[in-house]
Amino acid sequence: MTRILIVEDEQPAGQYLTQLIQKIDQKTEILDIIESVETAVAWLENYPAPDLIFLDVQLGDGTCFQIFEQISIGCPVIFTTAHDEYALRAFKLNSIDYLLKPIRQEALKFSLDKYYQLNEENAISKVKYLEELMYSQILNRRNPRRSFLVPYRDKLIPLRDADFAWLTIRNGLVVATLHDDRNFVIDKSLEELENQLDNSNFFRANRQFIISRQCITEIELYFNGRLLIRTSPSSSNQILISKERVPVFKKWFEELS
């Protein structure tokens, strides 16, 4: 069952797209039809990610690109619009197709077939990724990385993993905040760091944050089953653990304390 979210500010257009999708493939579930940038951001923050999003470019309170500026979208997107001037910008995001209105059944079927083909190909790469991840985690437990040389102005600053309070992404760069509240850019991705750091002391909270055990000062129950992590030094952005990740976080925190 493919779970689909439709973002479309005209209800008749949203209903028409729903009918077309389910006519082409009955094994789909339309999760919701969202009408604005604001409600789309709120929906994506509070519900599990869909498998696929149909996203109208021009919405009542702005363009859909404002959604990407406020929240990270990891699932594939098919853009829909009455105009084609946004096509180049759309394909710089995680778009797999761009449908012009009025949407024809043949064009929609081609887009869905493209999604299914990519999804099937990704399944193989996901298995390989999980195998590599498991192997790297085994190595990580045996020999986690303890030291880093970090460029700062015209120097290389030696840092220990124990210096890191938390790491996050800012303006496309990974920034490490130390326990003394200093900040350094790290020339690695969060995925690389997640695999290299000691997983008994560091936890991947979400797409944006890796946190150390020592920086956690409070854990608050947050709405929709999530957890809000308070840290020292404090973060200007909320550090949230999703409902799905809460059991993993609790097990990590309790068993490895």
Side-chain angles (χ1 to χ4, degrees), residues 192-210:
E192 289 176 298
L193 291 166
E194 181 183 10
N195 290 333
Q196 293 177 5
L197 290 168
D198 185 351
N199 57 19
S200 68
N201 190 43
F202 290 92
F203 184 81
R204 183 68 180 268
N206 51 47
R207 292 190 185 98
Q208 301 297 316
F209 280 93
I210 295 175

Side-chain angles (χ1 to χ4, degrees), residues 45-57:
E45 284 181 332
N46 290 291
Y47 293 95
D51 299 316
L52 176 65
I53 299 177
F54 280 85
L55 191 54
D56 187 17
V57 172

Side-chain angles (χ1 to χ4, degrees), residues 18 80 110 149 169 179 193 213 225 230 251:
T18 296
T80 64
F110 179 85
L149 283 176
I169 299 174
H179 291 290
L193 291 166
R213 182 184 304 279
R230 302 287 186 187
K251 185 175 181 180

